[in-house]
Amino acid sequence: MALRCFPIWVCPQTPHRYPLVSRRVSLWECSSSAASSQRAVTAVEGEGRELKKQSTDEMGLVREAKSGAFHRDLSMLPKPLTASSLYSSAGDDSEVRISFQGIPGAYSETAALEAYPNCETVPCEHFETAFQAVELWLVDKAVLPIENSVGGSIHRNYDLLLRHRLHIVQEVHLHVNHCLLGVPGVTKEEIKCVLSHPQALDQCVNSLNDLGIQRISAKDTATAAQNVASSGKKDIGAIASVRAANIYGLDILAENIQDDVNNVTRFLILAREPMIPRTDRPYKTSIVFSLEEGPGVLFKALAVFALRSINLSKIESRPQRRRPLRVVDGSNNGSAKSFDYLFYIDFEASMAEIRAQHALGHLQEFTSFIRILGCYPVDLVR
Ligand SMILES: O=C(O)C(=O)C[C@]1(C(=O)O)C=C[C@@H](O)C=C1
């Protein structure tokens, strides 16, 4: 396996904030041969389009660097990078802008504020927009809910990770305490139906059945709260956060109405550039791959981690949208058709560890496509 590292430069206009890499590629491009990297590009939807866009971006960045060639104000000159600035997620985050799907008061915004307490949050109508805002340099990062302890994986968001070329740089586990909200002065008994995000409704299904309340889907929990506030109706409630109640002036009629007290949603923070992994604390690495055809290939693929005592914390499979069916030639018995899948795996090791690098090198023997989605510190329980 070839491990390629790329130099880091500092953009003169924004010292320390945007490390520029010479090519827009993952920090590690795992390729055992030119042929296999070629395969990686063709095997997955949207790859060609993405490559084209990258080169345009890259040209834009080069132009920006040249235009700041002469500085009258010496304090504006770029500062040398220090070791700590390479790893800065800590430090001053007041200039960090983070896009999220929803409106103020959504849990995604709370997750962004958990990771960067002083950041500026930027609401977006769709997840796709939140990703594009990062790609177009309108914001620094995006936040994305990926799984919930009750509802499981948010499949659409797994697909988005692959469609875009952003890197996971952080994870946030957020305890989600849903509240039943109503217009001021209303009682819990007066509520006949509630608005909320489908995931939030699913997380409260038993409580809502007990109360005999009907459920209506909304884009996100905060939008549900806003709609209830603007309707002024006494028989409609929202399931949302305490923060949403405060923002939209609603009463909290009941707290912690989720069916499971330990209701945790895992969010990912995504950035244009990968973070440089270290070994001084626990790290996780997220990858996506598709497998070569053959008996036991998934077993062999997973064994590359087991052989090196690397723990897997998550495995998810998603259909390959552009290539859903694989035809397997059964010679005399005709051809069989089966679905073709992408596998998403999170494993508990840093890409700075030799065992992780060897595991991925070994994994390539069984894969037709592989991409590192990010290597980031494990969110330890606080
Ligand atoms: O609607 C919101 O507030 C969101 O941030 C979305 C979302 C989700 O997609 O799962 C996030 C956390 C909760 O689990 C419920 C809803």
Side-chain angles (χ1 to χ4, degrees):
M1 176 179 70
L3 260 190
R4 290 185 246 150
C5 286
F6 296 92
I8 293 180
W9 300 315
V10 177
C11 173
Q13 275 75 26
T14 52
H16 294 194
R17 294 219 18 238
Y18 303 117
L20 307 183
V21 291
S22 56
R23 283 173 56 211
R24 183 73 70 81
V25 290
S26 302
L27 190 58
W28 301 275
E29 275 189 344
C30 299
S31 57
S32 48
S33 67
S36 71
S37 65
Q38 182 65 32
R39 249 194 340 236
V41 169
T42 51
V44 169
E45 57 186 69
E47 292 283 317
R49 185 169 36 79
E50 282 168 14
L51 285 175
K52 208 166 153 199
K53 197 160 66 198
Q54 283 155 26
S55 65
T56 318
D57 280 353
E58 194 175 301
M59 282 171 64
L61 295 177
V62 170
R63 262 204 308 279
E64 189 180 13
K66 279 183 184 158
S67 71
F70 180 71
H71 291 267
R72 285 175 194 282
D73 182 354
L74 293 184
S75 67
M76 291 297 286
L77 283 172
K79 309 270 184 308
L81 274 185
T82 62
S84 63
S85 54
L86 290 175
Y87 312 114
S88 60
S89 75
D92 180 22
D93 57 22
S94 61
E95 287 178 41
V96 176
R97 285 163 58 82
I98 304 188
S99 57
F100 68 99
Q101 186 275 326
I103 62 170
Y107 289 106
S108 297
E109 188 191 38
T110 309
L113 292 167
E114 187 100 353
Y116 298 89
N118 302 311
C119 73
E120 184 189 337
T121 52
V122 179
C124 296
E125 195 172 356
H126 304 291
F127 285 119
E128 194 82 41
T129 322
F131 273 70
Q132 285 165 351
V134 183
E135 289 165 339
L136 295 170
W137 292 69
L138 299 173
V139 299
D140 303 293
K141 295 179 167 73
V143 62
L144 182 77
I146 197 75
E147 56 181 323
N148 172 266
S149 54
V150 177
S153 295
I154 302 169
H155 294 127
R156 231 189 123 256
N157 291 352
Y158 272 93
D159 299 343
L160 277 178
L161 287 177
L162 189 68
R163 265 216 300 284
H164 294 264
R165 277 267 171 193
L166 298 183
H167 303 266
I168 306 169
V169 293
Q170 205 167 334
E171 64 170 1
V172 178
H173 288 101
L174 186 77
H175 281 272
V176 174
N177 291 326
H178 290 304
C179 304
L180 177 61
L181 310 180
V183 294
V186 78
T187 63
K188 194 165 70 178
E189 290 69 30
E190 288 175 88
I191 303 292
K192 296 286 169 277
C193 72
V194 282
L195 300 181
S196 200
H197 186 279
Q199 281 270 347
L201 293 170
D202 284 353
Q203 292 157 21
C204 304
V205 74
N206 295 339
S207 314
L208 293 175
N209 284 346
D210 290 348
L211 290 167
I213 294 178
Q214 293 210 327
R215 304 181 284 271
I216 299 174
S217 285
K219 267 192 197 162
D220 59 90
T221 55
T223 299
Q226 191 193 44
N227 288 348
V228 170
S230 58
S231 80
K233 290 189 176 163
K234 286 187 149 199
D235 57 346
I236 302 178
I239 294 176
S241 63
V242 173
R243 200 175 129 76
N246 295 336
I247 293 175
Y248 301 104
L250 294 176
D251 279 0
I252 299 172
L253 310 179
E255 276 199 61
N256 287 316
I257 63 159
Q258 66 274 4
D259 299 333
D260 192 335
V261 275
N262 298 314
N263 183 27
V264 177
T265 300
R266 178 172 169 243
F267 292 84
L268 302 175
I269 309 277
L270 299 141
R272 283 179 294 274
E273 306 299 346
M275 89 171 304
I276 298 173
R278 307 203 301 194
T279 52
D280 58 341
R281 54 173 295 181
Y283 272 75
K284 237 183 224 182
T285 303
S286 297
I287 57 170
V288 55
F289 57 86
S290 59
L291 290 172
E292 297 285 5
E293 183 53 45
V297 184
L298 179 59
F299 174 81
K300 290 175 197 164
L302 298 182
V304 307
F305 300 101
L307 287 169
R308 294 168 180 89
S309 299
I310 297 176
N311 192 38
L312 303 185
S313 55
K314 180 79 204 282
I315 177 162
E316 185 65 53
S317 63
R318 296 286 301 143
Q320 290 218 45
R321 291 238 193 124
R322 295 260 172 95
R323 235 179 37 155
L325 283 178
R326 172 194 297 238
V327 180
V328 184
D329 184 17
S331 49
N332 293 341
N333 305 324
S335 318
K337 282 183 184 162
S338 62
F339 285 107
D340 217 356
Y341 286 96
L342 286 162
F343 294 93
Y344 290 81
I345 279 185
D346 295 342
F347 62 85
E348 291 175 359
S350 166
M351 280 309 297
E353 292 178 61
I354 296 291
R355 63 179 183 145
Q357 295 167 16
H358 284 171
L360 290 198
H362 193 175
L363 180 63
Q364 280 186 282
E365 292 177 23
F366 315 110
T367 57
S368 49
F369 158 79
I370 182 165
R371 189 169 123 198
I372 300 177
L373 296 169
C375 179
Y376 45 94
V378 170
D379 184 22
L380 301 168
V381 178
R382 287 171 280 255

